Amino acid sequence: EGQVVESGGGLVQPGGSLRLSCAVSGFTFNNYWMSWVRQAPGKGLEWVASINEDGSEKYYMDSVKGQFTISRDNAKKSLDLQMKSLRIEDTAVYYCARGRNNFRYWGQGTLVTVSS
Amino acid sequence: QMTQSPSSLSASVGDTVTITCQASQDISNYLNWYQHKPGKAPKILIHDASILETGVPSRFSGSGSGTDFSFTISSLQPEDLATYYCQQFYSVPRTFGQGTKLEIK
């Protein structure tokens, strides 16, 4: 049974940076695409970014292109999301999930609050 | 663009409820359905429009192809209280429907 645990969320001022991490166990990490999905307060789920098995392909939602960077370390079985120039509208619970088509094995999420 | 309806729904234990999702273009059967309970990780229930995930009760079902899809819960149970989302994987960006919040009367 796969497990995913996100970390790194917190309170950050507008314009600030934050790095989220996701630790994986229970499945062969380097065999799968991985993704980040977020949920703003009171809103629905929103796909943010995906990365392929070896990190050579990355896709982002338009509003975070050039602002967020997804990366992975297969040796450490970890997925990261580097976020910079954060805006109030980036406030959300960020989920790590396995896959790029069918999102299986989600974590509980980590809360990012962008506020002054 | 995925248009999901209704946005909320109230039903009684034992009822059958149906949620619909309409795509803005033909997405074949590249559609999934998720259940999201408060404070929990979302869970995929149906993939490829109609295939039930392993371990998911058979009272959940999905159908449709092209632009029109539906998701049905038969014999509603108290533990089905959740928000349900459709999600397309025909193109990038992957997009979710707005969600349907299901309440149990």
Side-chain angles (χ1 to χ4, degrees), chain A residues 10-42:
Chain A
L11 176 63
V12 61
Q13 292 188 336
S17 298
L18 209 56
R19 188 178 189 94
L20 306 183
S21 293
C22 168
V24 160
S25 62
F27 61 89
T28 305
F29 182 68
N30 58 8
N31 283 356
Y32 294 94
W33 281 72
M34 296 293 296
S35 298
W36 289 96
V37 176
R38 70 185 182 184
Q39 183 176 34

Side-chain angles (χ1 to χ4, degrees), chain A residues 100-104 107-108, chain B residues 32 34 36 39 41 53 87 94:
Chain A
R100 66 160 167 168
N101 296 333
N102 311 321
F103 301 123
R104 294 188 176 94
Q108 301 273 9
Chain B
N32 303 319
Y34 297 84
H36 191 193
E53 282 284 309
Q87 172 247 324
R94 303 303 192 225

